[in-house]
Amino acid sequence: MFTGLVREFGKVKSLQDATLTLLAKHKPQIGDSIAVNGVCLTTIQILDKGFMLELSEETQQHIALETYTDWVHIEPAMRLSDRLDGHLVQGHIDGIGEIAKIESNRIGTDFFIRTTPEILALCAPKGSIAVNGISLTINEILENTLRLTIIPHTLHSTLFKTYKVGMRVNIETDCLARLVRHFLQSPQEKPNPKLSWEAVDRILGSY
């Protein structure tokens, strides 16, 4: 589990088959989970100036793989004693978005992320979302786009300052929203259009 707050930038040395090699200051242990551009990966080897992670074929098919060629966001897994300054992020990518527009405003920068109806259905205004591993707030949901306002501190302390229109990004929606939607669409709930207290208890008990 992660918080969506980047701790470091890593430099991609190579991506060969299922092995991603990063150059970074962070010193993990073998088996540690690390979010790389929002994707939870497992450390399989430690190097003098970095580490290697396993990137399965399944994962490669569902992420913006072209972003793993240069600099990436790195976040080690959180401890139970850590402060939760962002929001709970699992590192399980729901899909891919594309930066449709970038606009500066008086207090920050608006990023308009075009994405799929399936992802939009899991989003709510003022709700949380992780984009390339960064915890952000959804300001507005448009027809096929999310508007995210990024404050200057976040812009300059993340790779968002380098992002351009047309770039694809990894998106993870709020895990609670994903879970609730799953239960509401389950066969057990379909006969009853209203959410019962039994269903609520089952949803909360699974979170």
Side-chain angles (χ1 to χ4, degrees):
M1 194 70 77
F2 307 91
T3 66
L5 299 181
V6 63
R7 303 301 180 187
E8 184 183 341
F9 299 153
K11 176 70 172 178
V12 176
K13 182 179 180 181
S14 66
L15 174 56
Q16 296 181 340
D17 298 326
T19 302
L20 175 66
T21 303
L22 295 182
L23 302 177
K25 295 179 181 179
H26 178 61
K27 299 297 182 183
Q29 301 294 319
I30 291 178
D32 281 1
S33 294
I34 300 176
V36 181
N37 273 0
V39 181
C40 180
L41 301 175
T42 300
T43 306
I44 58 173
Q45 187 173 336
I46 309 301
L47 308 174
D48 288 340
K49 296 183 179 181
F51 45 88
M52 301 170 73
L53 306 119
E54 193 166 30
L55 192 62
S56 70
E57 182 177 354
E58 173 73 14
T59 298
Q60 293 185 43
Q61 291 175 353
H62 291 89
I63 64 174
L65 194 61
E66 69 275 13
T67 63
Y68 292 79
T69 58
D70 197 4
W71 293 97
V72 290
H73 294 134
I74 292 178
E75 182 188 356
M78 66 179 293
R79 298 181 177 89
L80 288 177
S81 59
D82 288 345
R83 288 177 52 176
L84 184 58
D85 287 329
H87 74 281
L88 289 176
V89 177
Q90 293 180 303
H92 302 161
I93 301 304
D94 292 302
I96 295 173
E98 180 182 331
I99 300 176
K101 184 168 57 173
I102 302 173
E103 289 185 347
S104 297
N105 59 46
R106 187 173 59 85
I107 59 171
T109 304
D110 284 333
F111 280 74
F112 294 80
I113 310 294
R114 184 184 300 115
T115 189
T116 64
E118 291 77 15
I119 288 180
L120 291 173
L122 295 171
C123 297
K126 308 308 176 186
S128 296
I129 194 168
V131 179
N132 272 8
I134 304 302
S135 175
L136 299 170
T137 300
I138 300 168
N139 270 353
E140 187 178 9
I141 301 175
L142 305 172
E143 183 178 357
N144 62 350
T145 307
L146 300 170
R147 180 172 67 87
L148 313 172
T149 300
I150 299 182
I151 62 174
H153 172 78
T154 301
L155 185 68
H156 294 299
S157 61
T158 68
L159 294 171
F160 270 86
K161 60 181 175 288
T162 68
Y163 290 175
K164 307 295 183 184
V165 171
M167 177 179 172
R168 299 199 310 162
V169 290
N170 298 324
I171 293 179
E172 179 184 339
T173 58
D174 183 77
C175 56
L176 181 57
R178 189 191 311 129
L179 190 63
V180 170
R181 183 174 177 82
H182 170 75
F183 277 102
L184 289 177
Q185 291 184 332
S186 67
Q188 297 93 319
E189 305 305 329
K190 286 182 179 179
N192 184 359
K194 294 184 178 180
L195 184 63
S196 66
W197 283 111
E198 289 79 10
V200 171
D201 287 340
R202 186 160 56 253
I203 291 170
L204 293 178
S206 301
Y207 181 60

